[in-house]
Amino acid sequence: MGRLTGGDPSLLRRINSAVVLQALRAATASAPPDAASVSLTDLTLATGLSRPTVEGVVDGLIDSGLAAEVPAEEGGVRRQGRPARRFRFRAEAGHLLGIEIGAHRVAALLSDLDGRALGSTVREVSEKAPADERLDRVRAAASELLRSAGVARPSLRAVGVGSPGIVEADGTVHLCTALPGWTGLPLGERLRRSFQCPVLVENDANTAAVAEHWKGAATGSDDVVFVLAGLSPGAGSLIGGRLHRGYGGAAGEIGALHLLGREASPEEVLSTTGEPLNPLDEAQVVRVFALARDGDARARAAVDRFIRRLVHDTAALVLALDPEVVVVGGWAADLDGMLDPLRDELARYCLRPPQVAQSLLGEAAVTTGALRLALDHVEAELFAVDSTVTARR
């Protein structure tokens, strides 16, 4: 940031405001809304700023709607003399949305400015639905969620979106084979028209990796690989606590490794008939696993090929990144016999085998990570002191 001087009054005010707001939020974040408060003395000690500076900043935060003064009788035991002024962070001053756009469904998760979930919704959509229909389903799901929670649309401060495909920095989908009409779609631009607030679009495996780091199986790790296990798997990764996208957003596309001289495509690996499977027909894939459990020789061989391919794809990323933990999510993560072979084979192939864990968030991983994108964006605007997990460089 550089050395501050007396010629930096506006920057100094902004820093003071961010520091006080951060301390105010931290002091009241663990309690339910309206149930916690902090005094000017507490804020002065927490920030190291002078009392007049803190009081001036807090009054400005009240004017902006981000802080509220708590009446004396709500702030503690009443003593003789003038009661100390007490304040709280107004998490209800704005709201955030996390959205998942998938082949078979769209989902949305709503929170306040503390990231506290206020509601969620899921709507089914056909895998063959054109882009406009899928976007209409997204808008309808968001409208339904806002209405049921009693939140006005202008209250939204940011929207995070997790989508299949390679996503560019501006939210354009560079390439996506999973959804009709998705390649080249200016997804961020289209959704910004509907929400009138910043919309952050990210690859779905990346958002799931962020979610598991925030609230899931990788909360204690900063070097994480999340594998979105499916017929054509994808992966997201955090390196040193920061989301790694690669130069053009294509990092983690392990489903394309079959192009390196392999004979079978992902759709052929799990086939028991010689005919490629539809990569979006999850029921068909589940049937193959069920037949394998029942002893069908062809299905067992197909499942073995599938697991071996997933292990090799994951091992390639593990060898490149050396993560502390690999989290496996996606529909295939719930199938029997997935994690133990992955652990065994990673121990065989990798110089330092990572921990292997199943996703704790399940189907909520993408929406949770998308919500974290939105929360990071708002925190960067409000605090502008620390870098975030998902900030783009």
Side-chain angles (χ1 to χ4, degrees), residues 46-251:
T47 61
L49 298 172
S50 69
R51 186 181 181 91
T53 296
V54 171
E55 188 164 22
V57 169
V58 169
D59 287 340
L61 293 174
I62 291 173
D63 291 341
S64 71
L66 289 170
E69 185 165 359
V70 178
E73 60 271 18
E74 296 181 18
V77 178
R78 186 72 179 266
R79 295 184 174 89
Q80 289 184 346
R82 183 182 178 185
R85 297 180 70 191
R86 301 187 67 87
F87 310 92
R88 68 176 181 88
F89 174 68
R90 295 188 69 246
E92 71 275 21
H95 296 86
L96 311 168
L97 267 181
I99 294 174
E100 173 191 4
I101 303 176
H104 302 285
R105 70 176 208 159
V106 298
L109 177 63
L110 178 70
S111 85
D112 61 18
L113 293 181
D114 274 333
R116 186 182 289 111
L118 302 176
S120 62
T121 189
V122 176
R123 287 199 170 198
E124 294 183 357
V125 62
S126 169
E127 67 190 56
K128 299 178 181 178
D132 286 345
E133 180 181 334
R134 199 174 301 274
L135 288 174
D136 285 343
R137 198 62 59 93
V138 170
R139 298 183 187 100
S143 295
E144 172 191 318
L145 181 55
L146 292 172
R147 185 168 54 253
S148 64
V151 172
R153 187 173 292 258
S155 180
L156 286 177
R157 296 235 176 176
V159 176
V161 180
S163 165
I166 298 171
V167 180
E168 297 176 357
D170 65 354
T172 298
V173 182
H174 176 74
L175 176 66
C176 178
T177 58
L179 304 181
W182 222 244
T183 295
L185 181 71
L187 182 56
E189 178 185 330
R190 294 282 298 272
L191 290 178
R192 286 181 201 110
R193 298 174 194 167
S194 299
F195 293 109
Q196 302 297 310
C197 70
V199 175
L200 303 312
V201 183
E202 189 57 78
N203 168 266
D204 51 4
N206 286 350
T207 61
V210 169
E212 295 291 342
H213 179 263
W214 182 30
K215 290 189 173 183
T219 53
S221 303
D222 281 343
D223 293 277
V224 179
V225 164
F226 177 90
V227 178
L228 192 60
L231 202 57
S232 183
S237 58
L238 273 69
I239 301 175
R242 290 184 65 89
L243 184 61
H244 179 67
R245 298 178 174 90
Y247 177 73

Side-chain angles (χ1 to χ4, degrees), residues 166-379:
I166 298 171
V167 180
E168 297 176 357
D170 65 354
T172 298
V173 182
H174 176 74
L175 176 66
C176 178
T177 58
L179 304 181
W182 222 244
T183 295
L185 181 71
L187 182 56
E189 178 185 330
R190 294 282 298 272
L191 290 178
R192 286 181 201 110
R193 298 174 194 167
S194 299
F195 293 109
Q196 302 297 310
C197 70
V199 175
L200 303 312
V201 183
E202 189 57 78
N203 168 266
D204 51 4
N206 286 350
T207 61
V210 169
E212 295 291 342
H213 179 263
W214 182 30
K215 290 189 173 183
T219 53
S221 303
D222 281 343
D223 293 277
V224 179
V225 164
F226 177 90
V227 178
L228 192 60
L231 202 57
S232 183
S237 58
L238 273 69
I239 301 175
R242 290 184 65 89
L243 184 61
H244 179 67
R245 298 178 174 90
Y247 177 73
E253 293 293 332
I254 58 176
L257 286 174
H258 72 280
L259 299 174
L260 301 178
R262 292 176 175 173
E263 295 180 358
S265 68
E267 293 80 6
E268 295 167 324
V269 166
L270 205 54
S271 173
T272 60
T273 64
E275 292 294 324
L277 299 182
N278 180 340
L280 300 181
D281 190 346
E282 297 174 6
Q284 187 182 18
V285 174
V286 170
R287 281 195 297 272
V288 175
F289 275 82
L291 288 171
R293 285 194 301 271
D294 292 339
D296 184 281
R298 286 187 176 182
R300 183 67 258 173
V303 169
D304 288 344
R305 289 195 301 269
F306 173 80
I307 292 177
R308 188 164 58 250
R309 177 69 64 84
L310 180 64
V311 167
H312 290 175
D313 291 348
T314 304
L317 200 53
V318 169
L319 283 168
L321 299 181
D322 185 30
E324 180 181 0
V325 59
V326 171
V327 181
V328 184
W331 59 262
D334 295 326
L335 299 173
D336 293 337
M338 282 294 302
L339 293 191
D340 286 340
L342 186 57
R343 290 189 183 98
D344 293 343
E345 292 299 297
L346 288 179
R348 175 185 172 191
Y349 286 108
C350 299
L351 302 178
R352 191 206 61 78
Q355 302 171 35
V356 177
Q358 189 166 13
S359 167
L360 294 182
L361 298 173
E363 288 189 337
V366 176
T367 51
T368 301
L371 183 70
R372 182 70 241 189
L373 294 179
L375 184 58
D376 269 358
H377 178 83
V378 170
E379 287 181 345

Side-chain angles (χ1 to χ4, degrees), residues 6-75:
D8 304 309
S10 63
L11 179 58
L12 189 57
R13 281 195 300 271
R14 178 168 174 77
I15 292 172
N16 288 343
S17 179
V19 168
V20 171
L21 184 60
Q22 211 165 24
L24 179 63
R25 185 192 190 208
T28 60
S30 59
D34 302 324
S37 62
V38 62
S39 69
L40 281 175
T41 299
D42 295 332
L43 289 174
T44 299
L45 291 173
T47 61
L49 298 172
S50 69
R51 186 181 181 91
T53 296
V54 171
E55 188 164 22
V57 169
V58 169
D59 287 340
L61 293 174
I62 291 173
D63 291 341
S64 71
L66 289 170
E69 185 165 359
V70 178
E73 60 271 18
E74 296 181 18

